[in-house]
Amino acid sequence: MTRCLRFHGCLSGLVRASYCWGVLSGPRLRQVALVAHDCDRVTAELSRAFGWTQPFCDPGVGQFGLTNAVFAVGGTFVEVVAPARPDTTAGRYLERRGGDGGYMAIFQVPDLAAARRRLAGLGVRVVWTADLPDIAATHLHPKDVPGAIVSLDWAAPAESWRWAGPSWTGRAPEHSGAGVTGLTIEVNDPPAAARRWAAVLGIAVTGGGRETVVELPGSGQWLRFTPTRARGEGITAITIAGLPGGGPWMIGGIRFASEEG
């Protein structure tokens, strides 16, 4: 009998690992990035609101002209990035959307080679890749996957996540079961965007109408696509199990909400 690992302390099973004994069984939303004019300010607001511990600041994002801070939220991650020089993709995004907001959705996949073949078959352009022994990344062109910059990543062991710093490199430290459970993405055509994201991830679309939902099998996570409003396409809300009572909170142009069992 196959026994799937579950994080201790998860809330009514909402947040559970989608890997069995270190083997990922399907795509998992592992990290969400906000883009802000002031990384330090938004980082401090997140820490005060949710009691998140000291984030990891990755000097590697300097190649994109950015500074960042990555919070571990259970076994998932919330990142804040900010432009550190003129003429960056992040800076243009801030200008286009008129302020801070959601920026990237990073998914962990069990077979990156198969995912990259799927992207090629779909005609999705790849704008950046990284291939290290314990982690790899594939950033996709936002015009080919509307609503955010999407990345398909792979990690070994599956519980690890080098992008979150040394304590997550090649291993996973002790952590709670809280974590990111869902995103709301505003797009011009929700059904079409949902189909596109699902095809990129290799999964099915559920629901329909003006709000279309893509569920990530085995992870307890979901993606909700809704019509755009004043600011145009982008990630507008993040749902996290285990946030403190109260809320929702507006931080960094994102609505943070708690999802309880």
Side-chain angles (χ1 to χ4, degrees):
M1 181 176 68
T2 300
R3 297 178 60 195
C4 291
L5 174 67
R6 293 183 126 191
F7 292 141
H8 294 295
C10 58
L11 301 173
S12 300
L14 272 174
V15 182
R16 58 183 180 272
S18 55
Y19 46 79
C20 299
W21 299 118
V23 179
L24 195 72
S25 61
R28 182 186 182 202
L29 178 60
R30 199 71 196 274
Q31 182 167 325
V32 184
L34 289 64
V35 62
H37 285 287
D38 187 333
C39 184
D40 290 342
R41 179 183 58 78
V42 174
T43 298
E45 289 182 17
L46 291 169
S47 293
R48 284 195 300 270
F50 308 134
W52 292 346
T53 56
Q54 184 69 27
F56 169 67
C57 298
D58 183 3
V61 301
Q63 66 178 297
F64 304 111
L66 301 174
T67 59
N68 84 333
V70 182
F71 289 101
V73 185
T76 62
F77 306 90
V78 173
E79 179 185 16
V80 183
V81 302
R85 65 172 187 242
D87 194 28
T88 63
T89 300
R92 290 189 292 272
Y93 188 86
L94 283 168
E95 183 177 352
R96 183 169 65 252
R97 296 209 72 223
D100 300 355
Y103 186 54
M104 288 189 71
I106 303 175
F107 297 88
Q108 184 181 356
V109 297
D111 186 339
L112 188 58
R116 286 174 171 173
R117 289 193 297 270
R118 184 167 63 249
L119 295 172
L122 292 169
V124 175
R125 290 169 287 179
V126 173
V127 296
W128 183 80
T129 60
D131 293 279
L132 301 173
D134 63 310
I135 201 161
T138 310
H139 291 191
L140 311 183
H141 200 298
K143 289 189 177 180
D144 294 343
V145 188
I149 297 176
V150 171
S151 183
L152 302 186
D153 292 26
W154 165 91
E159 302 93 328
S160 68
W161 199 245
R162 174 184 285 266
W163 312 135
S167 64
W168 287 88
T169 301
R171 60 196 176 100
E174 289 292 326
H175 56 279
S176 73
V180 175
T181 59
L183 296 182
T184 299
I185 305 119
E186 292 188 7
V187 288
N188 295 327
D189 186 340
R195 289 192 297 270
R196 187 62 161 174
W197 283 57
V200 163
L201 294 170
I203 57 179
V205 175
T206 58
R210 285 176 59 80
E211 291 192 1
T212 306
V213 176
V214 175
E215 295 180 356
L216 277 60
S219 69
Q221 297 172 313
W222 48 264
L223 311 169
R224 178 179 291 117
F225 296 86
T226 65
T228 54
R229 289 181 278 187
R231 298 184 63 194
E233 295 189 325
I235 297 169
T236 57
I238 301 173
T239 302
I240 300 174
L243 287 182
W249 301 260
M250 284 297 301
I251 301 174
I254 288 286
R255 180 182 185 271
F256 285 85
S258 178
E259 181 164 6
E260 306 294 342

